[in-house]
Amino acid sequence: MSIAAVVFDLDGVIIDSEEVWEEVRRGYVAEFGRSFLPDSQDRMMGMSTGEWSSHLAEEVGVPRIPAQVADDVLGRMAARYRDDLPLIEGSVEAVRRIASHFPVALASSSARILIDQVLATAGLTDVFQVTLSTEEVLRGKPHPDVYLTAAEKLGLAPAVCAAVEDSSNGLRSAAAAGLAVVAVPHGIYPPAPDALAMASLVVPRLSELTVEAIDRLR
């Protein structure tokens, strides 16, 4: 059974935003005299907006309701992206190259407002047949919801789709949905060994992912 479509993650695959997210959220909680829990950063990678904002409010202790936390942090992230979008070198070209051979979708934990801004700034809006935020499904990563919905919107079975992911939660999400998994491990935030083991293919960066390698996944 050959691969018929490719579903990309955004943060850590197309844009190198994980450090920006960490800097913005750590700075935000520090304004309230709070600090991340030891596992906050790892846990929030892949969480939906509602999930990470609840974590900051209810577990880290930011004295605001989750909706206010989300609005505050997303506003700061949008401002950072407007000033300097952290595109990973070669990622836009890689997406376009792969999209010339396969239908492509995006399954991201970022909020819709950030997804739309990134794609518009990168000139990729018209490349993707489907774009999804985990805000738009019931559960965020590592649950399979966003990948199952992406495959459904593409009109394809998950088994004939490939996912390109970097984080532990993203890899687990794609694997749980039944997609063929391509891992692009982040150098600073590498996935856990058990999550990386779910990948059928590991490449050091998106620019090195070839159409031929995708064809060999199934």
Side-chain angles (χ1 to χ4, degrees), residues 49 110-117 119 131-133 135-136:
T49 302
S110 278
R112 169 56 63 183
I113 186 175
L114 297 184
I115 291 172
D116 291 346
Q117 182 175 318
L119 296 184
T131 63
L132 276 174
S133 166
E135 291 181 330
E136 297 158 351

Side-chain angles (χ1 to χ4, degrees), residues 63-79:
R64 290 181 181 271
I65 63 172
Q68 292 173 320
V69 172
D71 285 346
D72 290 346
V73 172
L74 291 176
R76 296 176 190 206
M77 288 296 297

Side-chain angles (χ1 to χ4, degrees), residues 55-68:
H55 173 73
L56 294 182
E58 297 165 6
E59 297 184 60
V60 174
V62 173
R64 290 181 181 271
I65 63 172
Q68 292 173 320

Side-chain angles (χ1 to χ4, degrees), residues 1-3 5-6 161-164 179-182 199-202 209-218:
M1 191 181 301
S2 60
I3 295 298
V6 179
C161 298
V164 184
L179 282 73
V181 182
V182 178
S200 300
L201 174 66
V202 180
L209 179 59
T210 65
V211 170
E212 293 75 19
I214 295 170
D215 280 331
R216 292 194 295 268
L217 285 173
R218 294 293 192 192

Side-chain angles (χ1 to χ4, degrees), residues 6-10 13 98 147 162-166 171 174 180-184 203 206 209 214:
V6 179
V7 187
F8 292 90
D9 179 36
L10 180 63
V13 173
I98 292 165
Y147 279 105
V164 184
E165 272 284 359
D166 68 305
L171 294 165
V181 182
V182 178
V184 187
V203 293
L206 184 58
L209 179 59
I214 295 170

Side-chain angles (χ1 to χ4, degrees), residues 21-211:
W21 275 108
E22 181 173 8
E23 181 182 335
V24 167
R25 289 191 289 212
R26 280 189 186 274
Y28 178 70
V29 302
E31 292 174 14
F32 298 95
R34 301 291 194 267
S35 300
F36 273 18
L37 303 180
D39 63 349
S40 288
Q41 177 61 23
D42 286 342
R43 287 173 61 189
M44 287 190 291
M45 290 176 69
M47 281 186 175
S48 68
T49 302
E51 290 166 338
W52 62 252
S53 59
S54 294
H55 173 73
L56 294 182
E58 297 165 6
E59 297 184 60
V60 174
V62 173
R64 290 181 181 271
I65 63 172
Q68 292 173 320
V69 172
D71 285 346
D72 290 346
V73 172
L74 291 176
R76 296 176 190 206
M77 288 296 297
R80 291 287 293 269
Y81 285 176
R82 283 193 296 271
D83 291 341
D84 183 19
L85 184 63
L87 285 167
I88 294 174
E89 184 177 358
S91 64
V92 170
E93 295 79 7
V95 169
R96 289 187 176 280
R97 182 178 67 251
I98 292 165
S100 70
H101 290 82
F102 300 98
V104 295
L106 189 78
S108 174
S109 298
S110 278
R112 169 56 63 183
I113 186 175
L114 297 184
I115 291 172
D116 291 346
Q117 182 175 318
V118 169
L119 296 184
T121 301
L124 290 173
T125 301
D126 296 334
V127 172
F128 290 96
Q129 280 82 355
V130 172
T131 63
L132 276 174
S133 166
T134 51
E135 291 181 330
E136 297 158 351
V137 297
L138 184 61
R139 302 171 298 177
K141 303 172 185 179
H143 299 288
D145 304 33
V146 72
Y147 279 105
L148 291 173
T149 304
E152 180 183 3
K153 287 183 176 292
L154 287 166
L156 295 167
V160 298
C161 298
V164 184
E165 272 284 359
D166 68 305
S167 69
S168 295
N169 283 341
L171 294 165
R172 291 174 180 135
S173 173
L179 282 73
V181 182
V182 178
V184 187
H186 194 285
I188 297 175
Y189 307 101
D194 69 294
L196 188 60
M198 297 175 181
S200 300
L201 174 66
V202 180
V203 293
R205 57 192 63 84
L206 184 58
S207 60
E208 296 188 23
L209 179 59
T210 65
V211 170

